[in-house]
Amino acid sequence: MIAERGGEQVLLVDDNPTNLQVLFKTLEGSGYRLLAARDGEAALKIARKAKPSLILLDVMMPGIDGFQVCEALKGDPETEDIAIIFLSALTDSQSKVHGLALGGVDYIAKPFQSDEVLARVRTHIKIHRLERALAARNVELEDENLSILNAVEEGIIGLDEEGRVSSINRQALALIAWPESDVLGEPLKSLNLFAASEPVSAGIEALINEGVPLRRGFVDLHPRHSSKPIPVSLSGAPRQGGAVLVWRDVREWLSSQEALRTAREELESQRQHLAHIERLSTGGEMAAGIAHEVNQPLTAVVNYARVCQRLLTAPAGLDTAKIHDVLEKITTQAERASAVIQRMRTFVKKPVGGRQILNVNELLAEVVALAEVDSRTHGVEIHFSSQSISHPIQADEVQIQQVALNLLRNAIEASAANESIKGVRLDTFESGVLVGFSVTDWGKGLDPEIEKQLFAPFVSSKEGGMGIGLSVSQSIIQAHGGDISYRANPEGGAIFTCEFPAHQD
Ligand code: ADP
């Protein structure tokens, strides 16, 4: 064995010492570390031990010939990468083809030219070096790829064109609970991950066989040995030589959706509760007026009853027609008192929940009757002008009445201080897909400080005012998908408008 220091190793193999010498001379000083062997066996031994980059291999040798050496080296993963250039006096093309078929990279005919040998060795060493660099880079890229795939939250499975698992990242493995060795190379179908869903299985088949992308959707994934499926969002796309499936565990997302839904329900129930408290408070404020309102028919009932008594004891005898007439009046008055109480009871009762299809005009007629109490107390008339409205709204009746009553009572109160004001207006309207109503007054108008925080809770200019009427009204209207707004009345006073999406059948 002859060697030079540094550089790539080149093994020279020839049974003829002169040839070996010439080869040595040719390559000496070219920067390669030279090794030499005089027969096939020695060549194999050195090659296995030193793993040179290249072997210049004589074909015709006693014992193991060059072709056999090449075959042995190519059959061993440890030495298969060594580049082999055959040297031979056999110039027939069959030998060349045979040599190349065995894995040789080149073939130099003997007698050889030193320049040619050097040039070819240089070229092949260079190619060999580049190939190694490329292989190393490939390994690096694969590592990089794997670390990217492992870094993402999604489970990713690569499938070959037969539907077998060709790659799988850590997240996917963790979810399906199969060991990697049992998964790689296996048909995805055999893992029974989506077997419970016929459409998903069919979708995956279509992806693998026809390249039809699998659209994202929620499906149940069945991990190994588990009866409890895991909800995942699954999608799939075709790729060169197969397909890729991507899924994301949506358990956390679903439970946060659930928490959000519970929070919304909680909020809605709080809102309903607050609205109820506000109605009770309105009822309390109206109690004196209601008592007065009920008192009037009751007084009339008492008076008519006395008339009846007198008629029953009249010396001229019974005038049944007259008695009948008076009893009729008693009934009317009693019904009037009952209607006031009934209306108030409906208004302050706890919400039954649920929305109905309602006609805005009918709904507001009831509110006007309720507000009559304040109207009479303050001497401010309500002018209700209802437009013909072709679409209903879908709403909670009592809550919308609550909003309208709030606005009417505020308007009446704002007008009450000024005796020259004769009344307030309540108008209904329909415009495009919106249905609504507005309350207009010509009262003192909005205090600028109040206007800045209008609809905020606990904002009031009234002594003892709770200041939650407008804020509750706004939350009710918004919960109905509508809007409440204020604008100054150009003639002085305020205009509040509520609008809702019309209910389309
Ligand atoms: P409250 O009536 O208990 O004060 P609201 O939320 O209904 O609570 O009203 C808040 C404030 O808005 C009132 O105190 C009043 O100053 C003002 N406001 C509401 N409506 C009118 C109106 N039509 N004209 C003038 N001011 C109004």
Side-chain angles (χ1 to χ4, degrees):
M1 192 170 88
I2 317 154
E4 245 180 47
R5 298 182 75 80
E8 309 258 353
Q9 298 191 100
V10 177
L11 172 60
L12 315 173
V13 186
D14 205 312
D15 61 328
N16 181 324
T18 317
N19 279 349
L20 211 50
Q21 194 61 28
V22 175
L23 281 174
F24 187 82
K25 288 271 170 233
T26 304
L27 295 171
E28 194 183 26
S30 55
Y32 304 119
R33 289 175 64 201
L34 302 176
L35 309 166
R38 299 261 318 259
D39 57 49
E41 280 192 23
L44 278 176
K45 222 164 159 189
I46 296 172
R48 284 183 184 133
K49 194 164 172 218
K51 303 208 180 65
S53 305
L54 184 138
I55 304 178
L56 278 172
L57 184 58
D58 186 20
V59 175
M60 306 271 278
M61 287 185 294
I64 306 174
D65 71 11
F67 290 148
Q68 285 168 307
V69 170
C70 177
E71 212 167 353
L73 292 176
K74 293 294 161 188
D76 179 352
E78 291 280 311
T79 51
E80 66 178 356
D81 288 340
I82 301 173
I84 294 174
I85 299 177
F86 288 108
L87 294 166
S88 179
L90 297 172
T91 49
D92 61 299
S93 61
Q94 226 177 339
S95 309
K96 281 186 187 172
V97 169
H98 185 55
L100 296 178
L102 288 174
V105 290
D106 213 342
Y107 200 100
I108 300 176
K110 283 185 181 178
F112 47 75
Q113 302 287 318
S114 295
D115 287 355
E116 187 190 357
V117 171
L118 190 57
R120 294 208 188 187
V121 166
R122 282 223 165 98
T123 306
H124 286 292
I125 290 268
K126 203 169 176 185
I127 292 172
H128 188 256
R129 198 182 295 140
L130 288 175
E131 273 173 356
R132 267 183 316 186
L134 198 64
R137 183 69 191 129
N138 257 344
V139 171
E140 261 174 46
L141 282 177
E142 265 168 29
D143 280 356
E144 231 167 76
N145 231 351
L146 197 67
S147 61
I148 290 172
L149 288 184
N150 284 336
V152 295
E153 260 182 61
E154 281 81 4
I156 301 174
I157 284 197
L159 300 173
D160 66 15
E161 50 211 351
E162 307 291 328
R164 284 183 302 246
V165 177
S166 55
S167 63
I168 181 159
N169 73 345
R170 205 181 291 150
Q171 282 69 13
L173 277 172
L175 210 66
I176 64 174
W178 283 83
E180 187 171 14
S181 52
D182 286 8
V183 169
L184 286 178
E186 291 302 312
L188 181 75
K189 242 190 192 167
S190 69
L191 304 178
N192 278 334
L193 300 178
F194 305 105
S197 166
E198 179 52 37
V200 176
S201 305
I204 295 175
E205 287 286 300
L207 168 68
I208 296 164
N209 299 333
E210 295 148 47
V212 182
L214 193 66
R215 269 188 296 142
R216 185 172 285 274
F218 285 2
V219 302
D220 278 342
L221 179 143
H222 294 263
R224 185 194 191 200
H225 298 324
S226 168
S227 53
K228 204 159 174 246
I230 297 173
V232 297
S233 111
L234 174 74
S235 57
R239 60 162 188 175
Q240 190 69 28
V244 61
L245 280 184
V246 179
W247 66 61
R248 181 187 275 255
D249 181 349
V250 290
R251 278 175 295 184
E252 218 170 279
W253 184 82
L254 287 178
S255 70
S256 69
Q257 285 299 104
E258 180 59 24
L260 199 65
R261 201 176 58 80
T262 315
R264 278 209 189 106
E265 277 172 12
E266 177 73 9
L267 194 70
E268 174 58 16
S269 126
Q270 293 293 336
R271 198 187 60 71
Q272 300 249 12
H273 186 59
L274 187 64
H276 185 225
I277 289 175
E278 206 268 342
R279 282 204 302 285
L280 288 174
S281 142
T282 305
E285 284 170 19
M286 291 172 76
I290 301 267
H292 178 72
E293 194 80 350
V294 174
N295 206 31
Q296 274 181 341
L298 286 183
T299 309
V301 165
V302 171
N303 289 338
Y304 285 129
R306 285 201 183 115
V307 172
C308 240
Q309 271 175 338
R310 274 204 306 278
L311 288 173
L312 285 170
T313 55
L318 280 183
D319 181 347
T320 49
K322 190 112 194 225
I323 292 172
H324 204 270
D325 185 41
V326 176
L327 283 174
E328 193 70 26
K329 284 184 171 139
I330 288 178
T331 310
T332 308
Q333 290 302 323
E335 277 173 357
R336 206 182 117 198
S338 163
V340 174
I341 291 168
Q342 188 53 43
R343 205 166 281 133
M344 207 58 210
R345 277 181 60 184
T346 310
F347 182 70
V348 296
K349 77 175 179 202
K350 268 214 144 72
V352 281
R355 295 181 183 174
Q356 299 148 279
I357 308 295
L358 302 166
N359 176 304
V360 177
N361 287 331
E362 285 167 19
L363 182 132
L364 293 180
E366 212 31 41
V367 177
V368 172
L370 262 175
E372 287 293 341
V373 178
D374 289 86
S375 158
R376 269 193 282 277
T377 315
H378 293 288
V380 179
E381 266 181 63
I382 302 169
H383 302 282
F384 179 28
S385 119
S386 54
Q387 301 299 308
S388 110
I389 288 178
S390 55
H391 286 97
I393 59 169
Q394 189 169 25
D396 180 312
E397 185 173 21
V398 172
Q399 290 197 1
I400 304 303
Q401 285 177 345
Q402 175 175 2
V403 173
L405 185 66
N406 263 328
L407 297 179
L408 275 175
R409 294 186 70 232
N410 278 342
I412 290 170
E413 269 184 63
S415 313
N418 189 339
E419 285 193 354
S420 66
I421 299 171
K422 285 286 163 278
V424 298
R425 280 182 63 120
L426 173 63
D427 295 277
T428 54
F429 63 84
E430 182 169 26
S431 121
V433 290
L434 296 175
V435 170
F437 61 88
S438 62
V439 175
T440 307
D441 69 61
W442 287 263
K444 58 184 163 66
L446 235 73
D447 188 307
E449 277 309 302
I450 299 274
E451 190 178 340
K452 275 191 226 155
Q453 320 167 60
L454 205 62
F455 302 112
F458 311 117
V459 172
S460 177
S461 61
K462 298 171 195 169
E463 205 171 309
M466 285 235 291
I468 59 165
L470 285 178
S471 104
V472 167
S473 296
Q474 187 182 51
S475 78
I476 290 176
I477 300 293
Q478 286 177 349
H480 281 79
D483 193 26
I484 181 168
S485 59
Y486 156 80
R487 69 195 153 98
N489 184 348
E491 298 166 16
I495 304 176
F496 283 89
T497 304
C498 297
E499 41 196 12
F500 309 86
H503 179 74
Q504 317 286 337
D505 318 289

